[in-house]
């Protein structure tokens, strides 16, 4: 096998392992957060508007919720979407860290596990491509011998 090809395969395999590791770290981090988080109900009071790479307007909700001690917190989500994922005045579940009440996550598969899902899918794709190219190269090398 050509040395340059080996390097490309090793790089793809490394990227795959890195992305899968990132996915695992994200899952474990979210699980650790959820183990200690308190659940409450928040209300969407407004949205942050921004523009994505293509110039389209995307929205992130601003949510107000109360902690178990009664402290009111205003939380601006970092998850933008188009259309907006929630409606104004909608009630949603919020998970927050009782030690740091400003650290919160909105309930929802993508809000809680988006990073793990994306990095996991990309890691699997890189791994499958690496395996496909490796098998193809080995098969071609055997046919030439």
């Amino acid at each position: 096998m050509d040395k340059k090809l080996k390097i490309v395969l090793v790089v793809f395999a490394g990227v795959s392992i890195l992305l899968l590791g990132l996915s695992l770290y994200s899952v474990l981090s979210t699980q650790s957060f959820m183990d200690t988080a308190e659940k409450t109900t928040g209300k969407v009071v407004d949205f942050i508007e921004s523009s994505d790479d293509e110039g389209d307007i995307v929205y992130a909700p601003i949510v107000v919720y109360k902690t178990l001690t009664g402290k009111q917190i205003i939380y601006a989500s970092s998850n933008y979407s188009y259309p907006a994922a929630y409606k104004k005045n909608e009630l949603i579940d919020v998970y927050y860290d009782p030690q740091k009440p400003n650290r919160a996550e909105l309930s929802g598969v993508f809000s809680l596990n988006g990073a793990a899902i994306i990095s996991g899918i990309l890691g699997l794709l890189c791994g499958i491509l690496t395996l496909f190219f490796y098998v193809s190269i080995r098969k071609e090398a055997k046919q030439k011998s």
Side-chain angles (χ1 to χ4, degrees):
M1 187 179 331
D2 186 335
K3 187 175 181 176
K4 289 180 184 178
L5 208 45
K6 281 184 183 179
I7 292 171
V8 169
L9 285 175
V10 168
V11 168
F12 264 90
V15 168
S16 176
I17 291 167
L18 183 67
L19 287 169
L20 290 172
L22 179 63
S23 180
L24 179 62
Y25 173 79
S26 182
V27 166
L28 294 175
S29 177
T30 298
Q31 187 58 51
S32 175
F33 172 75
M34 294 300 287
D35 286 345
T36 59
E38 293 291 337
K39 181 180 177 182
T40 189
T41 301
K43 182 178 181 179
V44 177
V45 293
D46 207 351
F47 296 93
I48 300 170
E49 291 183 11
S50 186
S51 48
D52 64 12
D53 295 340
E54 292 142 15
D56 297 323
I57 301 296
V58 290
Y59 305 91
I62 298 174
V63 178
V64 173
Y65 62 92
K66 284 189 180 179
T67 66
L68 290 177
T69 61
K71 182 178 179 183
Q72 183 171 307
I73 305 288
I74 299 172
Y75 171 73
S77 176
S78 59
N79 294 323
Y80 288 83
S81 65
Y82 179 82
Y86 305 98
K87 292 182 172 74
K88 195 167 186 177
N89 296 318
E90 183 175 349
L91 299 177
I92 58 174
D93 290 334
V94 177
Y95 297 92
Y96 70 92
D97 182 341
Q99 303 300 316
K100 299 175 189 167
N102 290 325
R103 181 174 180 241
E105 294 292 340
L106 305 180
S107 71
V109 173
F110 200 76
S111 294
L112 293 171
N113 297 303
I117 292 168
I118 291 170
S119 58
I121 289 171
L122 291 174
L124 284 173
L125 287 174
C126 281
I128 290 168
L129 281 173
T130 302
L131 187 60
F132 173 76
F133 285 125
Y134 177 76
V135 168
S136 296
I137 291 165
R138 296 289 292 178
K139 194 175 194 180
E140 188 177 307
K142 283 184 181 180
Q143 288 175 351
K144 285 183 180 178
S145 329

